[in-house]
Amino acid sequence: MSKEVKENTELTMDAAVEAVKRRASKLRTGKASPALLDGLMVEYYGAPTPLKQLATIAVPEPRLLALKPFDRAAISAIERAIQASNLGLNPSNDGMMIRLQIPELTEERRREFTKMAREIGEEGKVAVRHARQEANDELKRELKDAEITEDEHRADRDEIQKLTDRYCADIDQVVKAKEAEIMEI
């Protein structure tokens, strides 16, 4: 197998694992984390703007997020964006900063979040398997064009499968850790 095919496959699989980690970090666990607000867009002067560009986010207590906007005029827009998101958080402000109290998760809600974590993991595995399929297609093309032999093709396919198994195991670990974090009381 060409070194390029293997490197591209590994990069794609790495990206899939990182995407799972990033998406899993956004799931609420009952603890305050600035990652909860990643990707939250605020309508600021008519343009959707990432919250991170409008305010600093701090975690002064385990169940509290504090947002200090750079521009006080953005407070109401930030509050509206948080309420419109499906995070289940209720913002309160004192004119200077916004506080988000992270509520305790119910058992039912915890189970819902673990189910979401499993779905995120499965989507990541699908991406890894897709990368495997692309690599195998490239190997078939190389075999057809007589760039590699049958034995090399078989060995390379086995190597790609080992990579797939390793990255799927990594995704399983990420999901398992997130489920444990969610179910922790």
Side-chain angles (χ1 to χ4, degrees):
M1 157 174 49
S2 70
K3 190 176 178 183
E4 187 178 310
V5 171
K6 184 180 178 189
E7 285 176 358
N8 287 342
T9 304
E10 280 193 82
L11 284 174
T12 306
M13 291 181 178
D14 256 342
V17 172
E18 289 306 311
V20 168
K21 287 179 181 176
R22 193 172 44 256
R23 288 185 61 201
S25 74
K26 292 179 185 177
L27 285 178
R28 230 177 72 200
T29 60
K31 293 183 207 163
S33 167
L36 290 173
L37 303 174
D38 281 354
L40 188 64
M41 300 300 277
V42 178
E43 193 68 30
Y44 185 63
Y45 289 111
T49 310
L51 177 61
K52 285 184 170 184
Q53 292 180 6
L54 297 175
T56 57
I57 304 170
V59 185
E61 297 174 21
R63 295 194 166 293
L64 183 70
L65 283 174
L67 287 77
K68 185 156 176 53
F70 302 124
D71 177 10
R72 283 192 208 157
I75 287 181
S76 61
I78 293 172
E79 276 188 310
R80 278 194 302 276
I82 292 169
Q83 289 169 339
S85 72
N86 63 349
L87 294 173
L89 300 175
N90 215 358
S92 65
N93 85 58
D94 61 6
M96 298 283 284
M97 67 185 329
I98 298 172
R99 289 179 179 77
L100 297 171
Q101 193 71 33
I102 309 296
E104 188 73 38
L105 292 176
T106 64
E107 185 69 24
E108 182 182 325
R109 200 74 173 125
R110 288 177 192 276
R111 294 202 188 289
E112 208 174 292
F113 282 131
T114 57
K115 186 177 178 184
M116 288 169 67
R118 285 188 205 112
E119 289 171 5
I120 289 170
E122 194 53 44
E123 289 171 12
K125 287 181 185 180
V126 167
V128 167
R129 291 181 195 122
H130 183 71
R132 174 188 63 191
Q133 183 63 43
E134 287 178 355
N136 285 338
D137 289 347
E138 182 63 26
L139 290 174
K140 285 178 190 173
R141 188 197 58 73
E142 287 179 359
L143 179 64
K144 183 181 172 193
D145 294 345
E147 293 176 24
I148 59 174
T149 65
E150 280 280 340
D151 290 340
E152 289 173 326
H153 178 258
R154 195 172 300 108
D156 292 345
R157 217 176 56 217
D158 290 345
E159 193 174 337
I160 294 293
Q161 185 58 47
K162 286 178 186 171
L163 279 175
T164 303
D165 294 342
R166 189 180 88 212
Y167 281 102
C168 284
D170 289 350
I171 289 173
D172 284 338
Q173 279 186 314
V174 169
V175 170
K176 190 175 181 180
K178 190 63 179 183
E179 285 178 353
E181 187 181 338
I182 291 169
M183 293 308 285
E184 181 182 304
I185 297 177

